[in-house]
Amino acid sequence: RAPSADLVRRPVAALIRTPPLLCSADEPIRDVAKRMTAHGESAALVRTREGFGIVTDRDLRARVVAAGVSPDSPVSAVMTAPVYTVRGDSLGGDVLLDMLDRDVHHVPVLSAAGEVLGVVDHDDLLAAAARQPFLLRRAVDLAGSAADLAGAAAGLNPMIIALHDARVAAEHIAAIRSVVLDALTRRLVQLAIGDAGRPPAPFTWFALGSLARRETVPSSDVDSALAWEDDGADPAQVAASMTRVARLVDDGLRACGVQPDAHGASASNPLFARSLASWRAAARTLSEDPTRDQALILVSMITDSRPLWRGGARQGAPAAGRGEIGRAHV
């Protein structure tokens, strides 16, 4: 196998090793599993009216055997659909980051005309020594407490060393580390809500700065912000609830060896934790007088924001685009 540095810089279509294994939606799970075994494949694509679904070895374990589903049931009963796909000219490194962020291990690759070229998995993108990001991402998602998360986070630096030894480019190592930190922060928010209680208003937790840009290095601290909806709840009660959640997350980050921003760019600081009305008012004030103290710094951080967790949204949902505070909330 080529070094990881070469794999992540090549078009993903060039990494496809075998033709796709295709099946119909009504094909029995048993028959699909037999064909996967015969062809040595860990995933099969399922034709649907809307496009494609996918069933993997992991699905067969978790959704069939563990769940007690009959192997004579149609494969559509256990497939994932719609399936996340990529274009064949996408770079392997970009696809790797998307897979890690979405916590998926198989991605169908399409031609420019929308035809299925094949399926790539994380083995196609990384050497064996550099598969730790997927293992670490899984450990973070399964952590049941802040102490469990701290144990998982101990693997961050060994992961970086393994990626370096696999000759992965520095920019990809920084991006992979950032994706794992995204997952770590999301899990800390979920645990904080479990400890402090769900705040009385829907809210979004944002990454700022280098984490928002996915450019973190081991010495990077974590910049964050909060925005919550003005839905008629008592403002003081909402702010106090948000502060409890933010402080628990900051404490959890420190326990994981990751430092919140020492200069106050943190969701635990009222300057970076506001209702939507307050963010809008701040944006107007900053635009009217951009020369005021630290105004440009604050504007740049708001513009560089990226959402990590939304109250009431699906847990572990992939992060949206950058600048969300600036575009959607302000």
Side-chain angles (χ1 to χ4, degrees):
R1 184 176 300 278
S4 294
D6 296 333
L7 298 177
V8 298
R9 292 172 180 169
R10 293 170 61 186
V12 71
L15 305 178
I16 297 172
R17 291 176 290 172
T18 59
L21 180 62
L22 300 170
C23 61
S24 60
D26 59 355
E27 191 168 346
I29 295 171
R30 186 195 310 275
D31 294 347
V32 175
K34 287 180 178 179
R35 291 209 287 136
M36 289 170 62
T37 302
H39 288 82
E41 297 290 344
S42 58
L45 293 180
V46 185
R47 296 187 185 91
T48 67
R49 292 181 179 179
E50 295 76 21
F52 290 94
I54 191 169
V55 62
T56 68
D57 281 344
R58 186 173 169 183
D59 296 330
L60 295 177
R61 292 195 309 271
R63 300 179 182 179
V64 180
V65 178
V69 173
S70 170
D72 296 317
S73 300
V75 71
S76 58
V78 295
M79 71 180 181
T80 298
V83 65
Y84 169 65
T85 62
V86 298
R87 286 273 300 270
D89 56 359
S90 302
L91 293 181
D94 296 333
V95 175
L96 172 65
L97 289 178
D98 282 345
M99 291 171 67
L100 187 59
D101 194 27
R102 294 168 181 270
D103 194 23
V104 297
H105 294 251
H106 300 80
V107 176
V109 181
L110 306 181
S111 69
E115 299 173 344
V116 178
L117 301 176
V119 176
V120 294
D121 60 26
H122 65 289
D123 286 344
D124 298 316
L125 297 170
L126 284 177
R131 292 179 194 147
Q132 292 188 32
F134 288 91
L135 301 177
L136 184 53
R137 173 76 162 77
R138 186 65 175 162
V140 166
D141 287 344
L142 293 176
S145 67
D148 292 341
L149 273 178
L156 270 173
N157 286 339
M159 177 194 76
I160 292 173
I161 294 170
L163 292 170
H164 176 269
D165 290 345
R167 291 164 49 190
V168 176
E171 62 269 25
H172 284 112
I173 295 177
I176 290 170
R177 183 178 189 274
S178 300
V179 170
V180 174
L181 284 180
D182 286 352
L184 185 70
T185 304
R186 281 195 293 266
R187 190 68 187 120
L188 281 171
V189 172
Q190 294 163 1
L191 292 173
I193 291 173
D195 290 342
R198 182 171 292 276
F203 72 96
T204 300
W205 185 283
F206 292 90
L208 307 177
S210 59
L211 181 56
R213 298 189 302 271
R214 288 186 170 164
E215 296 174 352
T216 65
V217 297
S219 61
S220 298
D221 54 20
V222 171
D223 303 334
S224 60
L226 269 173
W228 58 85
E229 295 182 14
D230 308 280
D231 63 351
D234 178 48
Q237 181 184 3
V238 177
S241 178
M242 297 295 178
T243 298
R244 287 195 297 271
V245 170
R247 287 177 178 171
L248 285 170
V249 173
D250 278 0
D251 290 344
L253 287 171
R254 293 187 186 95
C256 292
V258 181
Q259 295 302 314
D261 182 67
H263 303 289
S266 169
S268 60
N269 181 349
L271 182 63
F272 289 89
R274 304 167 178 258
S275 68
L276 294 183
S278 178
W279 276 117
R280 293 188 183 102
R284 284 193 297 269
T285 301
L286 293 171
S287 63
E288 291 167 358
D289 185 10
T291 61
R292 63 179 294 188
D293 185 41
Q294 296 185 331
L296 291 178
I297 294 176
L298 185 56
V299 168
S300 69
M301 297 191 76
I302 292 173
T303 305
D304 222 10
S305 65
R306 183 167 55 84
L308 293 186
W309 194 92
R310 287 189 174 97
R314 178 175 62 87
Q315 290 186 359
R322 297 176 185 165
E324 288 288 330
I325 293 178
R327 287 199 303 270
H329 293 290
V330 174

